[in-house]
């Protein structure tokens, strides 16, 4: 999927300018990968809606800046830790004929209905929610679906288990790495902590009888 987005160029920069833009409902940003980086501003409401879409984070974006159109990828978003306001956004311009690196989300199909979970009440654990890939912009997938329907307790899904996608290579496999993506663990058993009943006849033999008569002390020598 390709998204479209409109922005306006800005010539001023700095913290005071950024604060003024945010108060006006704009998000300051920048586009790298051009001969000269371009400072931009985007409507806060518009970019906030886009960021709620998972595919927007890993798809090619057609960005129009005052009529100039660029193919870009979202690279970084800075968000206020308390108010969730978008503070700044970074894009990278890409060339259609040059490979790009991107992180793509994983969707684990049938994770809740696999034998290890449905029949044996195991716990499906996601180790990696996304993977790094290398491809041409036109081959960039929005997400990668992982078949977890055969997962049993004690089994793991590795990067090499993912389906092959035309034009896409996985960065870790190129480095001869094969990380775990997900696994099914056995359910946790609650340990019963019942108190050991005392012996009905003589009580607890491990403790001395405090009611028993103490032995007489030997007489002191004159």
């Amino acid at each position: 999927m390709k998204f479209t987005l409109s922005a306006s160029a800005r010539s001023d920069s700095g913290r005071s300018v950024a604060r003024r833009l945010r108060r006006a409902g704009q998000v300051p940003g920048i586009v790298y990968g051009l001969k000269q980086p371009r400072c931009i501003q985007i409507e806060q409401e518009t970019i906030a809606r886009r960021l709620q879409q998972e595919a927007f984070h890993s798809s090619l974006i057609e960005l129009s800046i005052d009529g100039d159109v660029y193919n870009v990828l979202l690279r970084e978003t800075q968000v206020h830790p308390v108010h969730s306001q978008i503070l700044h956004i970074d894009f990278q311009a890409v060339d259609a004929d040059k490979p790009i690196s991107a992180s793509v989300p994983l969707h684990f199909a049938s994770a809740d209905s696999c034998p290890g979970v449905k029949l044996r009440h195991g716990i499906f654990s996601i180790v990696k929610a996304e993977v790094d890939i290398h491809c041409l912009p036109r081959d960039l997938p929005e997400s990668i679906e992982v078949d977890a329907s055969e997962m049993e307790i004690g089994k793991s899904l590795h990067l090499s288990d993912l389906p092959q996608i035309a034009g896409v290579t996985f960065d870790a496999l190129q480095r001869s790495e094969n990380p775990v993506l997900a696994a099914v663990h056995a359910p946790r058993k609650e340990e019963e902590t019942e108190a050991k009943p005392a012996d009905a006849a003589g009580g607890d033999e491990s403790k001395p009888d405090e009611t028993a008569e103490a032995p007489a002390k030997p007489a002191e020598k004159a």
Side-chain angles (χ1 to χ4, degrees):
M1 176 184 293
K2 178 181 282 190
F3 290 86
T4 59
L5 193 64
S6 295
S8 300
R10 59 185 174 93
S11 55
D12 297 334
S13 59
R15 293 184 179 180
S16 60
V17 173
R19 285 195 295 267
R20 187 172 67 248
L21 286 173
R22 295 180 195 120
R23 286 196 296 268
Q26 300 287 317
V27 177
I30 192 166
V31 181
Y32 294 105
L34 304 171
K35 291 182 179 179
Q36 292 290 334
R38 295 195 68 174
C39 294
I40 60 172
Q41 60 189 56
I42 303 176
E43 289 185 358
Q44 173 86 224
E45 186 178 343
T46 299
I47 194 62
R49 286 199 307 267
R50 287 300 194 191
L51 290 173
Q52 291 175 356
Q53 299 174 267
E54 182 189 54
F56 183 75
H57 296 256
S58 57
S59 294
L60 204 59
I61 303 164
E62 193 175 86
L63 179 64
S64 175
I65 307 175
D66 297 335
D68 296 330
V69 179
Y70 305 95
N71 287 322
V72 302
L73 292 174
L74 176 64
R75 283 309 190 195
E76 186 178 359
T77 305
Q78 297 176 22
V79 180
H80 193 284
V82 177
H83 307 298
S84 299
Q85 181 187 26
I86 304 166
L87 302 178
H88 196 274
I89 193 161
D90 292 1
F91 296 98
Q92 179 186 357
V94 297
D95 189 323
D97 298 321
K98 293 182 179 180
I100 58 173
S101 295
S103 294
V104 177
L106 299 175
H107 292 168
F108 294 90
S110 305
D112 295 333
S113 59
C114 66
V117 174
K118 186 175 182 179
L119 301 180
R120 299 186 60 189
H121 309 293
I123 301 170
F124 190 91
S125 175
I126 296 176
V127 180
K128 285 186 175 295
E130 59 183 25
V131 292
D132 295 330
I133 67 168
H134 208 62
C135 65
L136 290 173
R138 62 175 175 271
D139 295 326
L140 180 65
E142 296 177 19
S143 61
I144 299 175
E145 186 156 315
V146 187
D147 182 12
S149 61
E150 303 298 325
M151 291 285 287
E152 296 278 0
I153 285 180
K155 298 297 183 181
S156 301
L157 279 169
H158 290 77
L159 183 59
S160 60
D161 296 321
L162 294 185
Q164 292 186 352
I165 303 173
V168 173
T169 58
F170 297 103
D171 292 357
L173 292 181
Q174 296 299 307
R175 299 191 301 266
S176 299
E177 299 172 4
N178 192 20
V180 173
L181 306 179
V184 178
H185 304 290
R188 295 176 184 149
K189 296 181 179 179
E190 296 182 359
E191 296 182 359
E192 297 180 359
T193 55
E194 294 181 356
K196 183 179 180 180
D199 186 87
D204 191 348
E205 297 179 355
S206 63
K207 295 182 179 180
D209 188 352
E210 295 178 356
T211 62
E213 184 178 352
K217 293 183 180 180
E220 295 182 358
K221 294 182 181 180

